[in-house]
Amino acid sequence: MSRIAFIKNSLEYLPEIEIYKDYFSNLGLQVSIVEHPEDILNADIYWFFMGVEHKKKVSGLHIHEYASLSTPPYGIVKDKIKRLINIVPDGRVFLNETIKQKTFFNDHVPFTYRDMGVSEHFFRKNNNITKEYDFVYIGSLSAKRNIRKLLQCFSEKYFHYTLLVIGECPNDLYNDFKSFPNIIFSGRLNYKDIPALACKAKCGINYTPNIYPYKYQTSTKVLEYLAMGLNVCSTRIEWVESFAKNKKIDNIQFFNESLIDFRPEDYLSNGEYWAHIKEYNWDKIMDKANLLNFIHSIIKNRRIDEHSK
């Protein structure tokens, strides 16, 4: 076992795939990133980010990773259909236990968990950086996230607070809000360039609807804000509220999705840096997942199955 192929289509945004590449390369494996399994026919392992794999087109071990669930509309229905039409892989990787439960698998396929992490370049390096913005929002600007409501709030009610928006912005959204001087659009940045700009803000906003599947997924955005030493304010998302409570993080504050209780002045005071965010460094996350041992257990399990036939 020495060759591993990660299957990633051109529409997916998966910054963690480079983490995988470095991790397995450092362990001595040959790593390829391709759009279709047929693009590399001699891999020992084919790793899919699900997705659909309704037919096994290449031999080798097949691993299905579920770092997220299907998005609206009809997310639950989509996930049930995928469960019915996907092949049974040799192993599965889930973001967390909740995601595993929501995928409704009841077979005996080996599985493990791999949580989200934070890249090293996000971790605070300079405590004395000049703050140029009050708030920063990083991430998806799709209509599914209802970001328009947040931008309207800043353009109408809180126009004296600045909001830096980092991400690829749909034309209609950009055209509607580009004239407001307190809303600054950076556009989509290279992943490694994000912290240098984002850390110039005082507080990171996590504006996410508390619906399936977002409420079950680790908020990488929140982890990155904490790594940069920003205050954090967030809609009341099940995962974020549980995370803040269990980890006893005081500088994450919450508001309702309606923004009726959004109070910018409450989120801008200097908060204490949460030192335990270092536990979410990608190196530590990957060590905890222990994926090489997981692969070896899959190989062993497959050999036992073949021997029993």
Side-chain angles (χ1 to χ4, degrees), residues 78-95:
K78 291 176 188 174
D79 283 327
K80 288 184 177 179
I81 292 173
K82 288 177 183 178
R83 177 173 60 87
L84 293 173
I85 66 175
N86 277 330
I87 68 164
V88 178
D90 298 285
R92 296 190 184 100
V93 178
F94 298 98
L95 176 71

PDB file of all heavy atoms in Angstrom, residues 78-95:
ATOM      1  N   LYS A  78     -31.862  14.211   0.123  1.00  0.00           N
ATOM      2  CA  LYS A  78     -30.665  13.952  -0.680  1.00  0.00           C
ATOM      3  C   LYS A  78     -29.757  12.938   0.008  1.00  0.00           C
ATOM      4  O   LYS A  78     -29.224  12.024  -0.629  1.00  0.00           O
ATOM      5  CB  LYS A  78     -29.890  15.252  -0.915  1.00  0.00           C
ATOM      6  CG  LYS A  78     -30.566  16.246  -1.822  1.00  0.00           C
ATOM      7  CD  LYS A  78     -29.712  17.523  -1.882  1.00  0.00           C
ATOM      8  CE  LYS A  78     -30.400  18.641  -2.612  1.00  0.00           C
ATOM      9  NZ  LYS A  78     -29.631  19.901  -2.552  1.00  0.00           N
ATOM     10  N   ASP A  79     -29.575  13.095   1.327  1.00  0.00           N
ATOM     11  CA  ASP A  79     -28.692  12.180   2.054  1.00  0.00           C
ATOM     12  C   ASP A  79     -29.252  10.765   2.075  1.00  0.00           C
ATOM     13  O   ASP A  79     -28.501   9.783   1.988  1.00  0.00           O
ATOM     14  CB  ASP A  79     -28.457  12.695   3.476  1.00  0.00           C
ATOM     15  CG  ASP A  79     -27.466  13.844   3.517  1.00  0.00           C
ATOM     16  OD1 ASP A  79     -26.539  13.856   2.688  1.00  0.00           O
ATOM     17  OD2 ASP A  79     -27.623  14.730   4.367  1.00  0.00           O
ATOM     18  N   LYS A  80     -30.561  10.630   2.188  1.00  0.00           N
ATOM     19  CA  LYS A  80     -31.163   9.295   2.182  1.00  0.00           C
ATOM     20  C   LYS A  80     -31.021   8.635   0.808  1.00  0.00           C
ATOM     21  O   LYS A  80     -30.768   7.433   0.711  1.00  0.00           O
ATOM     22  CB  LYS A  80     -32.635   9.392   2.592  1.00  0.00           C
ATOM     23  CG  LYS A  80     -32.818   9.696   4.078  1.00  0.00           C
ATOM     24  CD  LYS A  80     -34.289   9.698   4.470  1.00  0.00           C
ATOM     25  CE  LYS A  80     -34.445   9.927   5.977  1.00  0.00           C
ATOM     26  NZ  LYS A  80     -35.868   9.947   6.394  1.00  0.00           N
ATOM     27  N   ILE A  81     -31.164   9.439  -0.243  1.00  0.00           N
ATOM     28  CA  ILE A  81     -31.000   8.896  -1.598  1.00  0.00           C
ATOM     29  C   ILE A  81     -29.557   8.456  -1.815  1.00  0.00           C
ATOM     30  O   ILE A  81     -29.296   7.376  -2.377  1.00  0.00           O
ATOM     31  CB  ILE A  81     -31.415   9.952  -2.644  1.00  0.00           C
ATOM     32  CG1 ILE A  81     -32.926  10.193  -2.579  1.00  0.00           C
ATOM     33  CG2 ILE A  81     -31.003   9.502  -4.052  1.00  0.00           C
ATOM     34  CD1 ILE A  81     -33.417  11.330  -3.450  1.00  0.00           C
ATOM     35  N   LYS A  82     -28.610   9.283  -1.385  1.00  0.00           N
ATOM     36  CA  LYS A  82     -27.196   8.930  -1.538  1.00  0.00           C
ATOM     37  C   LYS A  82     -26.875   7.621  -0.812  1.00  0.00           C
ATOM     38  O   LYS A  82     -26.099   6.798  -1.298  1.00  0.00           O
ATOM     39  CB  LYS A  82     -26.315  10.061  -1.011  1.00  0.00           C
ATOM     40  CG  LYS A  82     -26.305  11.302  -1.883  1.00  0.00           C
ATOM     41  CD  LYS A  82     -25.476  12.410  -1.251  1.00  0.00           C
ATOM     42  CE  LYS A  82     -25.524  13.678  -2.077  1.00  0.00           C
ATOM     43  NZ  LYS A  82     -24.758  14.780  -1.449  1.00  0.00           N
ATOM     44  N   ARG A  83     -27.462   7.443   0.365  1.00  0.00           N
ATOM     45  CA  ARG A  83     -27.220   6.209   1.122  1.00  0.00           C
ATOM     46  C   ARG A  83     -27.693   4.993   0.338  1.00  0.00           C
ATOM     47  O   ARG A  83     -27.065   3.925   0.368  1.00  0.00           O
ATOM     48  CB  ARG A  83     -27.946   6.278   2.470  1.00  0.00           C
ATOM     49  CG  ARG A  83     -27.811   5.013   3.302  1.00  0.00           C
ATOM     50  CD  ARG A  83     -28.382   5.192   4.684  1.00  0.00           C
ATOM     51  NE  ARG A  83     -29.787   5.534   4.678  1.00  0.00           N
ATOM     52  CZ  ARG A  83     -30.785   4.659   4.644  1.00  0.00           C
ATOM     53  NH1 ARG A  83     -30.521   3.364   4.606  1.00  0.00           N
ATOM     54  NH2 ARG A  83     -32.041   5.054   4.659  1.00  0.00           N
ATOM     55  N   LEU A  84     -28.781   5.146  -0.401  1.00  0.00           N
ATOM     56  CA  LEU A  84     -29.345   4.026  -1.160  1.00  0.00           C
ATOM     57  C   LEU A  84     -28.553   3.720  -2.426  1.00  0.00           C
ATOM     58  O   LEU A  84     -28.421   2.553  -2.812  1.00  0.00           O
ATOM     59  CB  LEU A  84     -30.804   4.331  -1.524  1.00  0.00           C
ATOM     60  CG  LEU A  84     -31.791   4.398  -0.356  1.00  0.00           C
ATOM     61  CD1 LEU A  84     -33.159   4.868  -0.847  1.00  0.00           C
ATOM     62  CD2 LEU A  84     -31.911   3.050   0.332  1.00  0.00           C
ATOM     63  N   ILE A  85     -28.029   4.758  -3.082  1.00  0.00           N
ATOM     64  CA  ILE A  85     -27.415   4.530  -4.397  1.00  0.00           C
ATOM     65  C   ILE A  85     -25.897   4.367  -4.345  1.00  0.00           C
ATOM     66  O   ILE A  85     -25.302   3.845  -5.286  1.00  0.00           O
ATOM     67  CB  ILE A  85     -27.780   5.655  -5.385  1.00  0.00           C
ATOM     68  CG1 ILE A  85     -27.155   6.995  -4.944  1.00  0.00           C
ATOM     69  CG2 ILE A  85     -29.279   5.782  -5.531  1.00  0.00           C
ATOM     70  CD1 ILE A  85     -27.376   8.119  -5.947  1.00  0.00           C
ATOM     71  N   ASN A  86     -25.251   4.807  -3.252  1.00  0.00           N
ATOM     72  CA  ASN A  86     -23.795   4.686  -3.185  1.00  0.00           C
ATOM     73  C   ASN A  86     -23.359   3.247  -2.955  1.00  0.00           C
ATOM     74  O   ASN A  86     -24.061   2.468  -2.298  1.00  0.00           O
ATOM     75  CB  ASN A  86     -23.240   5.562  -2.053  1.00  0.00           C
ATOM     76  CG  ASN A  86     -23.060   7.011  -2.481  1.00  0.00           C
ATOM     77  OD1 ASN A  86     -22.807   7.285  -3.653  1.00  0.00           O
ATOM     78  ND2 ASN A  86     -23.184   7.926  -1.546  1.00  0.00           N
ATOM     79  N   ILE A  87     -22.210   2.906  -3.491  1.00  0.00           N
ATOM     80  CA  ILE A  87     -21.648   1.580  -3.236  1.00  0.00           C
ATOM     81  C   ILE A  87     -21.268   1.485  -1.760  1.00  0.00           C
ATOM     82  O   ILE A  87     -21.133   2.502  -1.063  1.00  0.00           O
ATOM     83  CB  ILE A  87     -20.409   1.319  -4.105  1.00  0.00           C
ATOM     84  CG1 ILE A  87     -19.242   2.241  -3.678  1.00  0.00           C
ATOM     85  CG2 ILE A  87     -20.714   1.457  -5.578  1.00  0.00           C
ATOM     86  CD1 ILE A  87     -17.898   1.805  -4.210  1.00  0.00           C
ATOM     87  N   VAL A  88     -21.086   0.273  -1.288  1.00  0.00           N
ATOM     88  CA  VAL A  88     -20.573   0.061   0.066  1.00  0.00           C
ATOM     89  C   VAL A  88     -19.047   0.144   0.001  1.00  0.00           C
ATOM     90  O   VAL A  88     -18.412  -0.687  -0.658  1.00  0.00           O
ATOM     91  CB  VAL A  88     -21.014  -1.297   0.627  1.00  0.00           C
ATOM     92  CG1 VAL A  88     -20.412  -1.514   2.015  1.00  0.00           C
ATOM     93  CG2 VAL A  88     -22.534  -1.378   0.688  1.00  0.00           C
ATOM     94  N   PRO A  89     -18.429   1.132   0.631  1.00  0.00           N
ATOM     95  CA  PRO A  89     -16.978   1.279   0.547  1.00  0.00           C
ATOM     96  C   PRO A  89     -16.264   0.347   1.522  1.00  0.00           C
ATOM     97  O   PRO A  89     -16.901  -0.383   2.292  1.00  0.00           O
ATOM     98  CB  PRO A  89     -16.770   2.738   0.945  1.00  0.00           C
ATOM     99  CG  PRO A  89     -17.864   2.977   1.959  1.00  0.00           C
ATOM    100  CD  PRO A  89     -19.041   2.170   1.477  1.00  0.00           C
ATOM    101  N   ASP A  90     -14.944   0.415   1.491  1.00  0.00           N
ATOM    102  CA  ASP A  90     -14.150  -0.378   2.440  1.00  0.00           C
ATOM    103  C   ASP A  90     -14.023   0.328   3.787  1.00  0.00           C
ATOM    104  O   ASP A  90     -13.731  -0.321   4.802  1.00  0.00           O
ATOM    105  CB  ASP A  90     -12.759  -0.623   1.854  1.00  0.00           C
ATOM    106  CG  ASP A  90     -12.826  -1.427   0.576  1.00  0.00           C
ATOM    107  OD1 ASP A  90     -13.059  -2.648   0.659  1.00  0.00           O
ATOM    108  OD2 ASP A  90     -12.667  -0.842  -0.516  1.00  0.00           O
ATOM    109  N   GLY A  91     -14.218   1.652   3.804  1.00  0.00           N
ATOM    110  CA  GLY A  91     -14.135   2.397   5.052  1.00  0.00           C
ATOM    111  C   GLY A  91     -14.790   3.756   4.892  1.00  0.00           C
ATOM    112  O   GLY A  91     -14.972   4.247   3.775  1.00  0.00           O
ATOM    113  N   ARG A  92     -15.165   4.348   6.005  1.00  0.00           N
ATOM    114  CA  ARG A  92     -15.762   5.676   5.980  1.00  0.00           C
ATOM    115  C   ARG A  92     -15.102   6.575   7.016  1.00  0.00           C
ATOM    116  O   ARG A  92     -14.695   6.113   8.089  1.00  0.00           O
ATOM    117  CB  ARG A  92     -17.273   5.618   6.275  1.00  0.00           C
ATOM    118  CG  ARG A  92     -18.102   4.872   5.239  1.00  0.00           C
ATOM    119  CD  ARG A  92     -19.596   5.078   5.482  1.00  0.00           C
ATOM    120  NE  ARG A  92     -20.409   4.282   4.552  1.00  0.00           N
ATOM    121  CZ  ARG A  92     -20.977   3.130   4.848  1.00  0.00           C
ATOM    122  NH1 ARG A  92     -20.842   2.622   6.081  1.00  0.00           N
ATOM    123  NH2 ARG A  92     -21.675   2.475   3.948  1.00  0.00           N
ATOM    124  N   VAL A  93     -15.028   7.858   6.688  1.00  0.00           N
ATOM    125  CA  VAL A  93     -14.509   8.876   7.599  1.00  0.00           C
ATOM    126  C   VAL A  93     -15.604   9.915   7.799  1.00  0.00           C
ATOM    127  O   VAL A  93     -16.162  10.422   6.817  1.00  0.00           O
ATOM    128  CB  VAL A  93     -13.235   9.548   7.033  1.00  0.00           C
ATOM    129  CG1 VAL A  93     -12.741  10.636   7.984  1.00  0.00           C
ATOM    130  CG2 VAL A  93     -12.151   8.514   6.784  1.00  0.00           C
ATOM    131  N   PHE A  94     -15.912  10.214   9.061  1.00  0.00           N
ATOM    132  CA  PHE A  94     -16.953  11.187   9.380  1.00  0.00           C
ATOM    133  C   PHE A  94     -16.345  12.373  10.127  1.00  0.00           C
ATOM    134  O   PHE A  94     -15.388  12.215  10.884  1.00  0.00           O
ATOM    135  CB  PHE A  94     -18.043  10.558  10.256  1.00  0.00           C
ATOM    136  CG  PHE A  94     -18.770   9.418   9.608  1.00  0.00           C
ATOM    137  CD1 PHE A  94     -18.411   8.107   9.889  1.00  0.00           C
ATOM    138  CD2 PHE A  94     -19.809   9.647   8.719  1.00  0.00           C
ATOM    139  CE1 PHE A  94     -19.076   7.042   9.305  1.00  0.00           C
ATOM    140  CE2 PHE A  94     -20.474   8.580   8.120  1.00  0.00           C
ATOM    141  CZ  PHE A  94     -20.115   7.279   8.407  1.00  0.00           C
ATOM    142  N   LEU A  95     -16.958  13.544   9.910  1.00  0.00           N
ATOM    143  CA  LEU A  95     -16.514  14.743  10.614  1.00  0.00           C
ATOM    144  C   LEU A  95     -16.663  14.579  12.124  1.00  0.00           C
ATOM    145  O   LEU A  95     -15.759  14.908  12.896  1.00  0.00           O
ATOM    146  CB  LEU A  95     -17.325  15.959  10.144  1.00  0.00           C
ATOM    147  CG  LEU A  95     -17.046  17.282  10.852  1.00  0.00           C
ATOM    148  CD1 LEU A  95     -15.683  17.827  10.456  1.00  0.00           C
ATOM    149  CD2 LEU A  95     -18.143  18.300  10.529  1.00  0.00           C
TER     150      LEU A  95
END
